[in-house]
Amino acid sequence: MAKIFDIYLAKQDQPESDAYAKLSLPATPCQIQDAFDKLRLAEGESLYWEITEYHHFEELSSLLNDTCGLNDLNALAQKLSELDERQFTAFAGLLKMEQQKGEAIPISRLIDLAYSTECCHVVDEALNDGQLGRFYVENEFVPEIDGLPEKALALLDYEQIGRNMRRDEGGVFVERSIDHPGGYVVQHDDLVEAYKTLDLTPKAPDYTILLEVSKGFFNDPGYDSGKTVQLKLPALSETLDAALESVEAWDWREVGWNCLDCRIPALTERISDAEEGIDFLNQMAQRLTDMEPKALSAYKALLEAMNCRDLQSAGALMDSLDQYIFSPQYSSPIEVAKGELSLILCEPDAATLAPHLNLYQYGQALIEKCGGVLTPYGLIERADGQPVQAIEAQPRQGGMEMK
């Protein structure tokens, strides 16, 4: 799926908070939830976001801002990611027509435009009036000159013909870009009013891991059934069997999979490349499903702090969560320092002392003292006071396996 925008999210007007998240849109439900797990917005706190990169349609930069809803922006990116080059050109043309009206264009209208690319004709080879006029003449769309001999056609003012046709039809030219080949775009039908039919209410997905399963784990194109099926984990054995049947495979050793979404986004690529079998993934999905939200955030923080990069280690770390202390309220050394002051001093004394301290350095010293790691999800530290170490820095004690 093509990425359309990269965005940066943070808390609005919270200078002491380092909580932030980065997202590429369109984003999956689990990726969006993960971003909010990193932000940890409290009641009454506002969200700030900005688009940091346009992978496509930079012409939208003057129209999109943080007054747009995040779900609306993701819906726009989702539809744009589904368009082919011809539809890209059609969308650019519709956008240009809309801008010519000189009115503000809300994101709801942009979504309607993205859904309305089939309401247009696109002439790829016409990038100016002259080319448009020649196209119309050669394809016999100008009845007034029907029957003229070839020599007479050569004398025609194609530029004037194209200009007249464009003005009469209300069409526009779209320049070539990295997004599309450009061309002439004319609307032939009413726009689709898609926005009012979309349900953009955030919903928890009905899966923990979403796989796209296909037959053909072998380098033999003739063996591949060409069929794919989406599989939601955790799943009952009957559902697993049905997935095999859908791709015409007899055994899970005959298939491969691509992870489309995961409740732990950091594991998505590892699941796609996993050599572990479907039973391992199904068991992991069940254990993740059973985790409470705070435990899940603690687990993500632990994976981050331990720099965990393989599924066997990730599975083993699930059994060690009770050995760690997780403090999601901390996103910066300053917050750690203020939290410590509030514990050792009464509130008035802490407020009096704080302006005279280098809170950032004090917080860093506290984190180093406890051997903790400040992750995007919060502070994680070992309950026994020992330093949190990355997996590759730990002494080997045999293999790790999920129970």
Side-chain angles (χ1 to χ4, degrees):
M1 182 184 297
K3 295 300 181 184
I4 306 299
F5 315 120
D6 287 344
I7 66 172
Y8 170 87
L9 306 99
K11 293 182 178 182
Q12 186 86 39
D13 301 324
Q14 295 288 332
E16 293 179 355
S17 172
D18 286 346
Y20 74 94
K22 295 180 180 179
L23 269 180
S24 292
L25 301 184
T28 65
C30 291
Q31 288 169 341
I32 292 176
Q33 181 57 56
D34 184 65
F36 280 93
D37 288 345
K38 292 176 179 177
L39 291 173
R40 290 155 278 168
L41 289 175
E43 186 175 353
E45 289 182 334
S46 300
L47 173 67
Y48 165 82
W49 63 261
E50 64 175 301
I51 298 177
T52 56
E53 184 173 354
Y54 287 80
H55 296 283
H56 301 283
F57 295 110
E58 194 164 356
E59 56 263 45
L60 291 173
S61 61
S62 62
L63 304 176
L64 300 175
N65 53 58
D66 63 359
T67 61
C68 304
L70 182 59
N71 293 321
D72 288 356
L73 186 66
N74 197 45
L76 174 62
Q78 177 66 50
K79 187 58 184 178
L80 291 178
S81 73
E82 299 169 0
L83 304 183
D84 58 26
E85 283 191 343
R86 191 207 69 82
Q87 292 170 324
F88 269 24
T89 300
F91 175 77
L94 288 172
L95 178 61
K96 191 171 183 178
M97 294 177 204
E98 201 72 17
Q99 289 175 311
Q100 288 177 346
K101 298 176 183 178
E103 301 173 356
I105 308 175
I107 194 167
S108 57
R109 186 66 168 178
L110 294 177
I111 291 174
D112 286 345
L113 298 182
Y115 275 86
S116 300
T117 56
E118 297 306 311
C119 300
C120 303
H121 290 305
V122 178
V123 183
D124 297 334
E125 59 266 43
L127 295 171
N128 55 51
D129 287 330
Q131 293 171 344
L132 180 63
R134 186 172 294 277
F135 171 83
Y136 274 126
V137 170
E138 291 177 351
N139 288 275
E140 300 180 352
F141 292 142
V142 188
E144 294 84 354
I145 60 173
D146 285 351
L148 285 180
E150 289 292 328
K151 289 184 178 180
L153 292 177
L155 301 176
L156 293 176
D157 185 345
Y158 289 106
E159 185 172 354
Q160 184 62 45
I161 292 173
R163 184 181 302 113
N164 290 341
M165 296 297 290
R166 173 173 56 82
R167 289 174 175 172
D168 290 345
E169 295 175 334
V172 296
F173 292 115
V174 176
E175 295 182 0
R176 285 197 178 102
S177 74
I178 60 173
D179 294 329
H180 49 69
Y184 175 70
V185 179
V186 59
Q187 184 179 338
H188 63 72
D189 208 347
D190 293 337
L191 296 181
V192 176
E193 295 183 349
Y195 181 78
K196 64 183 183 182
T197 68
L198 299 178
D199 182 5
L200 301 180
T201 306
K203 298 179 181 64
D206 59 348
Y207 55 81
T208 292
I209 297 174
L210 180 63
L211 300 180
E212 182 181 59
V213 177
S214 60
K215 183 181 177 183
F217 208 47
F218 308 96
N219 295 322
D220 181 2
Y223 183 79
D224 191 346
S225 69
K227 296 181 178 179
T228 63
V229 64
Q230 288 191 1
L231 176 61
K232 299 175 180 179
L233 300 181
L236 300 174
S237 58
E238 294 85 351
T239 305
L240 298 179
D241 292 341
L244 282 181
E245 184 177 347
S246 296
V247 298
E248 300 177 355
W250 291 96
D251 190 275
W252 282 99
R253 290 171 294 183
E254 295 183 279
V255 302
W257 52 71
N258 177 42
C259 184
L260 302 178
D261 200 13
C262 178
R263 202 175 178 192
I264 310 289
L267 296 179
T268 299
E269 290 186 13
R270 302 292 177 263
I271 293 172
S272 292
D273 298 333
E275 296 180 359
E276 290 81 1
I278 193 66
D279 291 337
F280 179 95
L281 291 182
N282 201 31
Q283 184 182 5
M284 173 175 270
Q286 185 61 62
R287 296 188 67 183
L288 291 174
T289 301
D290 294 340
M291 282 189 181
E292 295 295 328
K294 184 175 180 180
L296 188 71
S297 291
Y299 179 59
K300 289 194 282 190
L302 184 57
L303 290 174
E304 182 85 18
M306 300 285 279
N307 195 29
C308 182
R309 292 295 180 263
D310 69 272
L311 291 183
Q312 288 288 345
S313 297
L317 286 177
M318 290 185 185
D319 297 318
S320 65
L321 274 180
D322 59 355
Q323 300 172 22
Y324 293 86
I325 300 171
F326 178 55
S327 304
Q329 68 271 27
Y330 297 139
S331 68
S332 70
I334 292 177
E335 290 178 338
V336 173
K338 286 193 168 184
E340 179 68 10
L341 288 177
S342 67
L343 290 175
I344 61 178
L345 298 173
C346 63
E347 187 174 342
D349 288 345
T352 300
L353 182 60
H356 304 286
L357 295 177
N358 186 326
L359 293 175
Y360 187 86
Q361 288 188 355
Y362 180 40
Q364 284 185 316
L366 290 171
I367 294 169
E368 184 176 349
K369 180 182 178 182
C370 74
V373 177
L374 197 56
T375 76
Y377 305 95
L379 178 66
I380 189 104
E381 54 188 304
R382 285 179 50 156
D384 61 8
Q386 295 299 309
V388 176
Q389 290 180 301
I391 286 176
E392 58 267 24
Q394 295 183 349
R396 293 189 175 274
Q397 299 179 348
M400 294 184 176
E401 295 184 1
M402 182 176 290
K403 295 180 180 179

